[in-house]
Amino acid sequence: MFGEPILTNKFTQEIRSSNQGSVAEWLAVVFYTHERTKLTQSIDRTGNAPNVTVFSGSSISSYAEKGAFADLTYHATEKFDGQGGIRYAAKGQYYRVLSVVDTPVQGVFGPGEDHLFTSKEDAIIWLLTPTYLYTHDLMPHLRGASGYRADGPNSNTPGVAPSFRSDTVMNYEAGIMGKLLAKASVF
């Protein structure tokens, strides 16, 4: 009845370069991934009646993303560091649903369909983190950063939007990190 597996092929490549010096540390990365998935299903009528495929369907999806990011930490003094970073990402994906339903069983499975859902977008996010080492056991810090979650296609389910939107977040922090009781307690 359901004999076919889900097949996924994925390729990912990442290249990193970094350096640590007494005044600055940096990291730069480029990234690429491509993924393709196929699910095939069929239901066959067997027995005394002639063998007939009453339902056959497949879902094929593809996802590709490329990105780059860089991060720099600058040690301005022995007590003050500043960190900044930026990331760019671009992605595209599609999702295709194809089904063929024999007329006598359309009341059970619904009519056949052939729909293609696509999504494509890019984003830039950042971070900025200054820190000051007041003592070896006390460090106030600030942090500002943006975040992002990609959009994507949905299936053709009645009452559900054919895609969902990306969302973003801005995060701001201020705090103090430290150690107490001979480093037995960290906050």
Side-chain angles (χ1 to χ4, degrees):
M1 185 159 125
F2 299 106
E4 296 84 12
I6 298 174
L7 302 172
T8 299
N9 294 312
K10 183 171 185 170
F11 172 80
T12 301
Q13 183 67 53
E14 182 176 287
I15 300 171
R16 293 176 171 250
S17 180
S18 64
N19 188 27
Q20 287 187 312
S22 60
V23 176
E25 303 168 29
W26 59 267
L27 170 67
V29 177
V30 293
F31 171 83
Y32 175 79
T33 188
H34 185 264
E35 179 177 312
R36 183 176 166 91
T37 301
K38 181 177 182 183
L39 165 67
T40 303
Q41 296 177 323
S42 65
I43 300 174
D44 298 328
R45 180 180 64 203
T46 61
N48 294 334
N51 291 351
V52 175
T53 299
V54 295
F55 171 85
S56 68
S58 65
S59 299
I60 301 170
S61 64
S62 177
Y63 177 86
E65 180 180 359
K66 58 186 173 185
F69 73 86
D71 185 37
L72 173 69
T73 301
Y74 177 66
H75 306 289
T77 69
E78 287 185 10
K79 293 186 175 266
F80 181 75
D81 291 340
Q83 179 188 30
I86 190 161
R87 181 180 194 271
Y88 170 78
K91 68 101 183 155
Q93 69 186 109
Y94 73 83
Y95 176 67
R96 182 176 185 201
V97 178
L98 174 63
S99 63
V100 177
V101 181
D102 196 27
T103 305
V105 294
Q106 286 184 0
V108 176
F109 296 106
E113 63 177 314
D114 186 0
H115 291 96
L116 179 65
F117 306 93
T118 63
S119 171
K120 183 178 181 180
E121 69 179 343
D122 59 357
I124 296 174
I125 59 174
W126 58 269
L127 72 86
L128 184 61
T129 307
T131 57
Y132 182 76
L133 187 61
Y134 187 72
T135 70
H136 287 289
D137 294 331
L138 186 64
M139 182 178 71
H141 74 283
L142 299 171
R143 180 178 176 94
S146 63
Y148 165 81
R149 182 173 53 181
D151 71 350
N154 279 333
S155 66
N156 194 30
T157 304
V160 176
S163 65
F164 58 92
R165 290 188 229 172
S166 61
D167 46 15
T168 59
V169 65
M170 296 297 290
N171 182 47
Y172 302 100
E173 300 174 20
I176 298 174
M177 294 184 281
K179 302 171 193 159
L180 296 173
L181 305 171
K183 301 180 184 178
S185 176
V186 177
F187 63 93

